[in-house]
Amino acid sequence: MPGTTTTPPAVTRRNIAAAPRRAAALFVASDFCRRPGFGRQHPLSIPRVSVVLQLCESLGWLDEKRLHVSRVASVEELTAFHDPAYVEALRASDAAGRVEPQVRERHGFGNFENPLFPGVFERASTAVGGSILAAELALEGRVVFHPAGGTHHGRRDRASGFCFFNDPVFAIRRLLDGGVARVLYVDLDAHHGDGVQEAFLDEARVLVVSIHEQGRWPYSGAADDVGHGHARNLPVPAGFNDAELAFLRDEVVLPLAARFDPEAVVVTCGTDALAGDPLSAMALSNVALWETVERVIGAAGPAVVLGGGGYNPWTLARCWTGLWGRLSGREIPVELPVAAQLILRGLACDLVEDEDVEADWLTTLADVPRPGTVRAAVKSLASQGRVLHVVA
Ligand SMILES: [Zn+2]
C-alpha cells in the first residue's frame, strides 16, 4: 500500500475536532510545477501551477513553513494501484523516447490526448507522490493544497483524459491506510471523475460525489449511476451558475456528507467549471468554487484539496491562487498589486482569443459572482439526490 513505511498517528474524532484549520493549511508543489509539459500543441501546455506559485509568492502568501516539496512516488507505491505492466510500459517508453504501437493501443498513451513527452514518467509519478504527501500531512488534521494533483481520469492500466496516473486515488488510499474510517471525495471539475469512481466501486469506506457538465467527455456519470452504491453523480446543464452550485451543495452534497460522516475529505477542484474555460460550458465564478470547497472540507478535519483540469490560464491562476488565499486565511485583495498584475498580463493561450480576455482577469483575483436562477434540470438532481441512501 502507498506510503506504509511511515505511520502517522491514527486519526480519531477527538483529534480531528481539536485540529487547527486555516492557520495550518499547507501547500504541496514540486519543481515540475514550474516547468511546462505535454508539448506545445496540448491544452495542458499552458502555464498552470507555475503561475499560481508566482502569484502566491508575489502576494507574500507562501513561505518555507507552508510549502512542502512533492516526492516522486516509487514504482512499488505506484503498483499498489496501477497495473505493473502499465507502469513499466510508461517508464520504458519515456526512457526510450518512443511508444510501440501495441503499447499505445493497450495503455492509451503516446497519442494526442496523452502524449509521450520527455520526463512524463517522473512528472506523473511526482503528482502521485505529492498527493500521498498531501494525505500524510492531512492526517495531522491539516488542510493541504496540492494543485498539481487532480488527475482523476487515470485508470489502473491506462492513461485517459490527459491523466497518466490517478493521484486522487492515492490520496484517498493513504488516508484509509492512516486509520481514517471514511473518506468523502468531491469532484468539482467540469468532467466526470470517472477514474476515481471506478477505483472505489467496491470500497464502502469511500463516497465519491461528482458534479460535472452533462453531455461532456467522458460521457459517464449519469444521475442514476451510483457506482455500486458508493458514488453519486450530479450531471449539470451548460451555463451552470453560482446559485445552482450553492443549491446542489446545500441540498445534496452537504446532506450526503452529514449522513456519510467522513473522517477526511479529498476535493478535486478543476477550474474548467469556471466561466471562460475553452473546453467546457459551465459558468461558475471562482468565489462560488472557493465557498463550496470551504463548506465541503468543513465536513471533516483532514482535507486534501487537489487541482484538476482548467485550460484558461487566467481563470485557472486566479482561482487556485485565491483558493490558497482562502484556505490559508488570507484576505483577498480587491485589486492585485502591480507585480501580480504583470504576471497575469504576461500569460498567453492559443485556446482563448485576445478579445475574450476580460479586463478583470488581469487586475483581480475574485470574480464578480455569477448568480442566476436554479433551473428545473438542477432542481430535479436534488430531488433524486435526497432519496439516495448512503450504503456505507
Ligand atoms: Zn476537467
Side-chain angles (χ1 to χ4, degrees), residues 152-153 189-192 270 272-273 308-311:
H152 59 165
H153 300 304
D189 189 279
H191 302 92
H192 176 224
D272 44 11
Y311 307 95

Side-chain angles (χ1 to χ4, degrees), residues 211-260:
I211 298 177
H212 47 268
E213 190 184 339
Q214 189 174 32
R216 179 76 55 192
W217 187 93
Y219 309 108
S220 52
D224 60 357
D225 173 6
V226 294
H228 297 192
H230 306 130
R232 301 293 181 271
N233 283 293
L234 301 166
V236 299
F240 187 63
N241 63 46
D242 289 5
E244 291 174 326
L245 177 62
F247 177 81
L248 288 184
R249 178 191 71 211
D250 295 345
E251 296 294 322
V252 182
V253 180
L254 294 177
L256 276 171
R259 233 178 300 166
F260 185 64

Side-chain angles (χ1 to χ4, degrees), residues 66-101:
R66 299 277 186 131
L67 186 59
H68 287 245
V69 178
S70 313
R71 57 187 176 78
V72 185
S74 67
V75 167
E76 189 185 357
E77 286 176 315
L78 292 168
T79 55
F81 171 65
H82 289 290
D83 175 15
Y86 169 45
V87 173
E88 173 54 20
L90 188 61
R91 190 204 62 75
S93 301
D94 187 10
R98 60 192 292 268
V99 185
E100 299 295 338

